[in-house]
Amino acid sequence: MTPATSLFSPVEADLHILADNLKQLVGNDHPILSLAAEHLFGAGGKRIRPAIVLLVSRATMQNSEITPRHRRLAEITEMIHTASLVHDDVVDESEKRRGVSTVHSIFGNRVAILAGDFLFAQASWYLANLNNLDVVKLLSEVIMDLATGEIQQGMNRFKAEISIDTYLKKTYYKTATLFANSSKAAGILSEVSAQTAENLYEYGRHLGLAFQIVDDIFDFTSSTDILGKPAGSDLKDGHLTAPVIYALEEKPELKTLIKQQFKQAGDLEQALALIEHSKGIQRSRDLAAYHAKLGVEHIKQLPPSQSRQTLIDMADYVLSRLN
């Protein structure tokens, strides 16, 4: 598998600048919030979302250097993503994320919620200062979508009747909207045509869906060390993802276990075994591959460049995480 760090070589220097700027953007006026932000941004992560923004920026600005507004958009994208993670961890009561203690487990729920709100507010302020109404609308929509996705997920807990379409809609709101709208926004800052901007949106949308489907497969195939949480955690919490939805078509007894919310000893283990012995995981792999391929189709019209090739390779990287 190609590591994300080597994959991002065309924007490696840009990502170093981004990492330095993120900590400065939060400022030192609020010591606790600054400490929480330092913890979040210091934890690293792959920076996939801002990397895509920077790659789209470079792929659409081939004859000139990317602008400070492109760089700021990448920073805003990571701030919005990070803010959403802080809130998600509070809702899910997660103690760890990628093996690192969550903000609420260190500072408490009150500070975590305020830190998430603060990051959203900061991102909105910097967004307004880009002075591009179309971009403001796109990223503001992302913030609304993230809340919508979290609400939809909460309302559909332990609902064994959930369809793949409902799952994909929730997945768009929770994950793919940021990929899609930030990619389009980068194109708009590069002053691409309306059609190219729409293609960039579709690239991000399909890539984001593939990315989250792969993450959902990991809940059944990866160890606690890799996930930073016990395998099957999403299922235990009642979040029914693609592998479960597909498995339900084959294993009707799985529905009973879900309906009773795994209350009996051994229920969760039995459910995991049923999913493992179904076609649910393979069909989910196929679904992720379908969306990754669709995403690539939408950027083939961009002029050839190293950045465009990396955006294409990104689809392979997302799928190769399963190998």
Side-chain angles (χ1 to χ4, degrees), residues 125-287:
W125 190 84
Y126 286 115
L127 184 59
N129 279 277
L130 291 177
N131 293 317
N132 186 305
L133 186 56
D134 289 335
V135 171
V136 170
K137 286 178 178 178
L138 287 171
L139 274 294
S140 298
E141 188 172 325
V142 169
I143 296 173
M144 288 190 295
D145 286 346
L146 290 169
T148 301
E150 196 62 48
I151 291 166
Q152 284 191 0
Q153 179 170 282
M155 290 178 65
N156 285 318
R157 288 180 70 223
F158 298 107
K159 286 193 177 176
E161 300 79 16
I162 187 173
S163 67
I164 280 289
D165 285 346
T166 299
Y167 160 76
L168 287 173
K169 190 176 289 185
K170 180 271 296 179
T171 301
Y172 171 78
Y173 286 138
K174 274 187 65 77
T175 302
T177 181
L178 185 54
F179 283 78
N181 285 299
S182 62
S183 295
K184 182 177 181 179
I188 288 172
L189 291 179
S190 299
E191 300 182 355
V192 300
S193 69
Q195 183 57 58
T196 298
E198 203 52 41
N199 282 331
L200 290 169
Y201 169 87
E202 289 297 333
Y203 166 78
R205 182 170 78 90
H206 288 295
L207 189 75
L209 289 173
F211 183 88
Q212 187 57 52
I213 294 164
V214 168
D215 259 14
D216 291 339
I217 293 170
F218 278 151
D219 193 48
F220 301 96
T221 61
S222 292
S223 66
T224 301
D225 289 344
I226 294 171
L227 285 176
K229 60 182 180 179
S233 290
D234 288 341
L235 179 60
K236 184 180 180 182
D237 290 339
H239 304 316
L240 309 190
T241 55
V244 187
I245 296 166
Y246 284 134
L248 277 162
E249 295 176 18
E250 293 176 60
K251 311 284 186 182
E253 59 269 47
L254 184 57
K255 186 173 183 177
T256 306
L257 296 168
I258 292 168
K259 287 287 187 185
Q260 64 194 33
Q261 301 187 14
F262 314 115
K263 291 276 173 39
Q264 305 294 320
D267 278 2
L268 182 62
E269 290 73 18
Q270 187 182 346
L272 291 170
L274 287 168
I275 294 162
E276 185 182 349
H277 292 101
S278 75
K279 295 176 184 171
I281 290 171
Q282 184 54 53
R283 289 178 70 188
S284 300
R285 285 173 176 261
D286 294 342
L287 184 65

